[in-house]
Amino acid sequence: MRVLLLAQFYPPNIGGEERHVRDLAASLAKRGHYVAVATLWQDGLAEHEADQGVQIFRIRGLLQRWSGLFLDPARTHAPPFPDPGLTASLRRIVVSERIEVVHAHNWLLHSFLPLKRAGGPRLVVTLHDLSLVCATKQAICRGELCSGPSFAKCGGCVAHHYGAAKGSVTLATNWTSSWFERRLVDRFLAVSTAIAVGNGLPGGPTPYEVVPNFIRDDVASPDGGQDERLEGLPKQPFILFVGDLRRFKGIDVLMAAYAQLDNVPPLVLIGRKCHDSPTHWPKNVHVFHDWPHAAVMQAWRRSMAGVLPSVGPEACATVLMEAMASGRPMITSNIGGNPDIVDDNISGLIVQPGDQAGLARAIQAMATDEGLRQRLSDGALQKVKTFMASNVVPQIESVYRGVLARERPVIAAANQLQRGSP
């Protein structure tokens, strides 16, 4: 098959979604498919290159010319509506590379929708977030879990998140684009049950499947020598948190829970500093920023257990899989896709989101009960096989074959999209 993956960011930009798309592209290429990736051009990167048998096309849109529109001018993203420049570039790639299946992963999808034709490439979309129903993608409204969309509430939320002008445009265009997505996409892939339900896929007009993120089969065996950053880790066994140091990940809850405990191992945090990151840390907490992935995997091997106490609905946290592949049991919260990955008291411990006392008890148990850790470690190594590339990538291939064999009436919706009205 000839497959085009759409991802607004791609390595060397780091992040779980970027690694997922890169690993999917490389896995498909190794399995004999022609694979191309269309991603947004970033300063200093080649417009076209080959990597691991994958053709990478970095394209530019009209909106990228105005860097002031973006919070981070070095990380311009795709808009929630078709960008004419991106659409034109995607048309050229689809034609020149004779693409059969387009597999989109985020808002770059919107610039492909005007090209969707009944006789053209099939369109598969992986939902890594709640973007079909939420313009901020996470269903968090002013720091709290959102109870559901409504025009007035969403208007205030996006204005707070993006600013009044950008927020109103983002909300209107995302809702409009979502209407077209549900009618033009051939198959949705939700990375967890929570993402499928949260996006309203059950009972909707588009077929869908739950296909999780995956990790490479050899992810727990990082290449290269020991990273010098590891010298800063505690010499004794420690508990490890990996991820953005923000409230969504439960970092405030974790700090409050850890501060209650005495005589427990050090707590190591490796992640990106965010606008809502704490400015002070409890005693025996070690904080490191922006480590490369290989160094993070080496840190997992030195740890005794991990913790991810999210208070927001994680879609499908790859960090849980990477810890489990390293034989490390996880403490995580019962929210989003986390329970799809960790089985309570079998491959890890699950606590309620925001429960400081429950999290403190789980950390205490994990730190002091060696028998518990070993039993959960064995369960983690068994469960994580479900999320290996050798198991998940064939499921994605099966989806491609299914959509190629199935016709879907898209002409009316495509014509409406060209006219600009639902």
Side-chain angles (χ1 to χ4, degrees):
M1 288 177 281
R2 302 183 69 84
V3 181
L4 174 65
L5 304 181
L6 305 185
Q8 59 183 353
F9 303 119
Y10 192 78
N13 289 300
I14 60 173
E17 188 173 313
E18 289 85 357
R19 284 196 299 273
H20 171 81
V21 176
R22 179 199 59 198
D23 291 344
L24 175 58
S27 296
L28 290 170
K30 286 180 181 178
R31 295 171 71 88
H33 304 290
Y34 172 84
V35 184
V37 173
T39 186
L40 295 182
W41 177 84
Q42 302 290 336
D43 190 27
L45 299 179
E47 293 187 358
H48 177 227
E49 65 177 326
D51 179 54
Q52 301 184 72
V54 177
Q55 300 299 315
I56 303 168
F57 297 90
R58 295 188 175 93
I59 60 178
R60 310 187 198 201
L62 296 183
L63 264 65
Q64 290 181 288
R65 299 175 185 271
W66 294 283
S67 59
L69 293 172
F70 305 94
L71 293 177
D72 183 356
R75 194 175 169 87
T76 58
H77 54 77
F81 53 83
D83 180 304
L86 296 176
T87 299
S89 294
L90 290 174
R91 179 185 289 110
R92 287 193 295 270
I93 295 170
V94 166
V95 173
S96 66
E97 308 307 305
R98 296 178 286 116
I99 298 300
E100 297 175 285
V101 177
V102 173
H103 186 172
H105 291 266
N106 41 48
W107 275 356
L108 190 53
L109 157 72
H110 298 144
S111 291
F112 176 77
L113 289 178
L115 305 177
K116 185 68 170 74
R117 298 290 185 273
R122 299 296 190 263
L123 178 58
V124 176
V125 174
T126 290
L127 293 171
H128 296 271
D129 50 40
L130 298 171
S131 55
L132 268 182
V133 296
C134 177
T136 67
K137 303 184 180 184
Q138 295 181 333
I140 298 290
C141 185
R142 297 183 181 272
E144 304 294 333
L145 281 176
C146 180
S147 58
S150 69
F151 187 78
K153 181 171 61 176
C154 292
C157 183
V158 296
H160 177 76
H161 188 84
Y162 295 111
K166 286 192 292 184
S168 60
V169 173
T170 299
L171 177 61
T173 55
N174 191 62
W175 279 6
T176 301
S177 294
S178 295
W179 186 93
F180 285 109
E181 280 184 61
R182 295 180 190 274
R183 287 152 181 83
L184 293 173
V185 171
D186 292 292
R187 188 75 55 89
F188 281 118
L189 304 183
V191 295
S192 64
T193 302
I195 289 298
V197 173
N199 279 298
L201 297 184
T206 308
Y208 78 95
E209 298 179 30
V210 175
V211 178
N213 291 335
F214 65 87
I215 52 176
R216 300 192 323 270
D217 290 41
D218 63 349
V219 70
S221 303
D223 297 330
Q226 179 173 299
D227 193 292
E228 61 182 10
R229 297 171 182 82
L230 299 173
E231 296 300 321
L233 293 174
K235 302 307 179 185
Q236 67 268 47
F238 54 86
I239 295 173
L240 179 59
F241 168 97
V242 174
D244 287 348
L245 306 177
R246 52 183 296 219
R247 289 185 60 194
F248 182 91
K249 299 287 186 179
I251 197 71
D252 293 340
V253 178
L254 177 57
M255 293 305 99
Y258 188 77
Q260 300 175 22
L261 301 172
D262 295 316
N263 300 318
V264 291
L267 175 63
V268 172
L269 312 176
I270 303 177
R272 184 169 61 98
K273 185 176 181 181
C274 302
H275 71 279
D276 57 353
S277 296
T279 55
H280 297 89
W281 306 99
K283 182 181 177 181
N284 216 18
V285 174
H286 305 256
V287 184
F288 305 94
H289 300 297
D290 303 324
W291 280 23
H293 184 248
V296 171
M297 293 308 303
Q298 291 174 341
W300 278 122
R301 297 175 67 180
R302 293 195 179 192
S303 70
M304 64 189 307
V307 58
L308 181 68
S310 314
V311 297
E314 295 275 2
C316 183
T318 305
V319 66
L320 294 175
M321 304 174 193
E322 292 177 341
M324 293 164 66
S326 302
R328 300 302 178 260
M330 289 294 295
I331 303 168
T332 193
S333 49
N334 187 25
I335 195 168
N338 294 349
D340 285 11
I341 303 172
V342 176
D343 296 320
D344 187 32
N345 206 32
I346 297 175
S347 56
L349 297 177
I350 293 182
V351 300
Q352 293 303 310
D355 182 0
Q356 296 177 13
L359 180 58
R361 289 192 297 270
I363 293 173
Q364 184 77 52
M366 193 74 83
T368 58
D369 190 336
E370 184 176 353
L372 174 68
R373 286 200 310 274
Q374 186 59 56
R375 178 170 62 81
L376 297 180
S377 174
D378 293 342
L381 286 169
Q382 184 64 31
K383 179 64 180 288
V384 79
K385 295 177 183 177
T386 307
F387 305 106
M388 294 292 186
S390 57
N391 183 57
V392 177
V393 174
Q395 297 177 47
I396 297 174
E397 283 179 314
S398 179
V399 170
Y400 294 166
R401 287 191 291 268
V403 297
L404 284 171
R406 176 179 180 271
E407 293 185 3
R408 186 159 190 246
V410 300
I411 296 176
N415 288 340
Q416 286 181 322
L417 180 59
Q418 287 186 318
R419 292 195 300 266
S421 61

